[in-house]
Amino acid sequence: MKKAWMLLGLLAAVGCSFPYEDDLTALEADTQSALTALQSLYEEGIEADYADLERHASIARTKRFDSVHEPYFRNEFEVLKYHYRQTSRWFELQSYAEWEAQLIYGLEQVQALKHDAEKGLIEEEALREALENEKNALLPLIAEVETSCAAMRELMAEHDSLDTHWQVMWDRWENPNL
């Protein structure tokens, strides 16, 4: 009797699945993951880090080249320039609101498609075409967001120590005895 119930439960579980269920579930999870990564980057303070970098870049622009400070110009300013350019590109690529809106819209589309598939409201061929369209729209966006977020996290990981380092450098620039 126990085996019969288990078999009946297994058949019911298999009967509840629908075509492309795994693909839709994976696309939904990937889109949600990219959205979470984007949102957490802002919660972690990327805007504050960028404001600090802008301040340091502004200070660096006021410094005139001289032989006494040559090592700073060759080393420290290159690091500052790299961090500032990379972070600037993040904000120039697309705004947070635009990326978030695209991801939310894509997530809603996938969820609606999944709902229609679960309820049998869409033919299998139409489902396959719609899924391919959603993948074509979302996968490049997801990859771009996740790659960019990872790059920004790397820069942000170094930010606090560099921010302190550059501030000490500015403090000692005019007064080396500090």
Side-chain angles (χ1 to χ4, degrees):
M1 183 71 167
K2 189 176 184 181
K3 288 183 181 182
W5 282 110
M6 288 176 51
L7 182 61
L8 185 60
L10 181 61
L11 289 173
V14 171
C16 292
S17 68
F18 52 90
Y20 305 105
E21 179 179 15
D22 292 342
D23 290 340
L24 284 165
T25 300
L27 187 57
E28 180 181 27
D30 291 346
T31 305
Q32 183 60 54
S33 174
L35 184 59
T36 300
L38 179 65
Q39 291 168 337
S40 68
L41 193 62
Y42 280 81
E43 291 168 4
E44 292 167 19
I46 189 172
E47 291 169 313
D49 287 4
Y50 184 55
D52 290 342
L53 285 170
E54 283 184 317
R55 182 177 63 81
H56 289 301
S58 175
I59 293 169
R61 286 186 200 102
T62 67
K63 304 303 180 189
R64 299 173 63 67
F65 181 82
D66 60 34
S67 59
V68 173
H69 295 106
E70 185 174 355
Y72 293 116
F73 282 97
R74 297 212 186 276
N75 299 320
E76 307 297 338
F77 284 25
E78 286 302 315
V79 172
L80 174 59
K81 185 168 64 172
Y82 172 78
H83 280 256
Y84 182 68
R85 282 186 180 164
Q86 295 296 53
T87 308
S88 294
R89 283 190 190 134
W90 169 265
F91 287 98
E92 291 168 4
L93 278 175
Q94 203 163 10
S95 75
Y96 168 79
E98 291 170 324
W99 266 346
E100 182 183 45
Q102 288 177 339
L103 288 169
I104 288 172
Y105 178 76
L107 183 60
E108 289 170 351
Q109 291 294 101
V110 171
Q111 289 169 339
L113 189 59
K114 188 175 177 182
H115 173 268
D116 290 351
E118 285 174 343
K119 301 297 181 191
L121 302 174
I122 188 170
E123 299 281 330
E124 187 172 340
E125 183 58 26
L127 173 61
R128 186 193 61 75
E129 288 178 23
L131 176 60
E132 287 305 313
N133 288 338
E134 290 306 321
K135 282 182 177 180
N136 290 338
L138 283 172
L139 291 178
L141 175 65
I142 290 167
E144 183 179 11
V145 168
E146 288 184 345
T147 301
S148 296
C149 284
M152 287 300 99
R153 277 204 172 77
E154 277 185 40
L155 292 175
M156 289 174 69
E158 299 174 12
H159 177 77
D160 289 343
S161 62
L162 287 174
D163 182 47
T164 302
H165 174 74
W166 288 323
Q167 189 57 54
V168 169
M169 183 175 67
W170 303 138
D171 293 344
R172 290 184 179 161
W173 191 275
E174 301 296 330
N175 189 357
N177 297 328
L178 286 178

